Amino acid sequence: MAQATRRRGAELEEAILQAAAEVLMESGVPALTMDEVARRAGTNKNALYRRWPNRVALGVAAYRRLAATETALPDTGSLRGDTLEMLRRANSTWSSPYGEILRGLIAAAGSAPALLSELRDPAADGAHEAAWLTLLGRAVARGDAAPEALHPRVASTPMALLRNEYVMLGVPSVPDAVLIEIIDEVFLPLVQGRDPHGTVAAVQGARRT
C-alpha cells in the first residue's frame, strides 16, 4: 500500500480505473464512491479528483474501460446475417451485468450532456463505428447494398435504435423479434433501397429466413 502512493501518471490512473471497474462489477453503481476506489487503488481521494470531478465521471471512464474489449466481426456472407449478429451481440452485452452498470450510470449522470455523450455504446466509438462500416463495405462489394449507404450515420442506425429501447423504455432486455424488426424493417430498406440522391426506395421481396 505504501509503495502504491508513489505511482504517477498512467500507472496510477490505470490502478484507479481498475479499482473502479472492480467496484462496478462487484456491487454496481450505488457502491461506487471516491473513498472506496481510493482505498482499493492504494491512493488518496485527491488523486481521483485531479482526474475526475465526481464519482459518476470516474464511473463512466471505468465503464468505457470495461467495454473496450474487441470482438471479431461476424462474416455470415450476407449483410442481414452480419448486422443481425452484431445487434444480437450488443443486446446480449446490454442485458448482462455490463448493461446493468450502463443503465445505472445513465441514471446517475442525469442531465449532464458531456457524461451522457461518453456513455454512448462502444459501437458508436471510432473502432466500433469502423466495424459497422466494414460490414457495410463488404455488402457494397457484394452488391448487397448501395454504395451511397456507406456512411457513418447509416451504419450507426441499428445500434441507435437498439439503444433507444434500453434508454427510453428502460427494458432489461430487448426481444429478438425487435432486433429482427430493426434490421428487416428499417436498416435493410435504408441501405438496399437508397438511391444516389439519398432517398429510400421501396424494397421488393421478403428478407426473413
Side-chain angles (χ1 to χ4, degrees), residues 8-172:
R8 297 289 187 273
E11 183 184 2
L12 177 57
E13 185 167 313
E14 173 66 17
I16 294 170
L17 289 173
Q18 176 63 34
E22 289 174 359
V23 174
L24 288 174
M25 290 300 294
E26 292 172 10
S27 308
V29 176
L32 185 73
T33 66
M34 297 302 232
D35 283 325
E36 176 59 17
V37 173
R39 184 189 69 79
R40 291 192 183 215
T43 187
N44 56 66
K45 288 193 296 183
N46 288 339
L48 278 61
Y49 282 114
R50 281 196 295 269
R51 294 164 172 80
W52 300 279
N54 52 56
R55 74 180 192 96
V56 178
L58 172 57
V60 169
Y63 171 79
R64 288 171 63 84
R65 183 183 187 280
L66 284 171
T69 304
E70 295 293 332
T71 56
L73 287 180
D75 191 3
T76 66
S78 75
L79 178 60
R80 183 182 188 273
D82 288 349
T83 53
L84 189 54
E85 173 62 20
M86 287 283 280
L87 212 55
R88 283 170 172 159
R89 289 181 185 180
N91 190 42
S92 178
T93 297
W94 289 355
S95 60
S96 72
Y98 288 100
E100 186 176 348
I101 291 169
L102 174 61
R103 293 191 295 275
L105 286 169
I106 289 173
S111 59
L115 290 177
L116 290 174
S117 177
E118 289 187 39
L119 279 172
R120 293 182 308 166
D121 186 81
D125 293 339
H128 294 271
E129 181 181 274
W132 279 83
L133 285 170
T134 296
L135 297 185
L136 265 180
R138 289 178 186 169
V140 170
R142 290 192 303 262
D144 202 13
E148 294 78 18
L150 194 58
H151 188 283
R153 290 194 182 276
V154 175
S156 67
T157 297
M159 297 304 302
L161 293 174
L162 178 60
R163 185 167 60 251
N164 185 70
E165 296 288 322
Y166 281 94
V167 176
M168 301 303 294
L169 302 182
V171 296

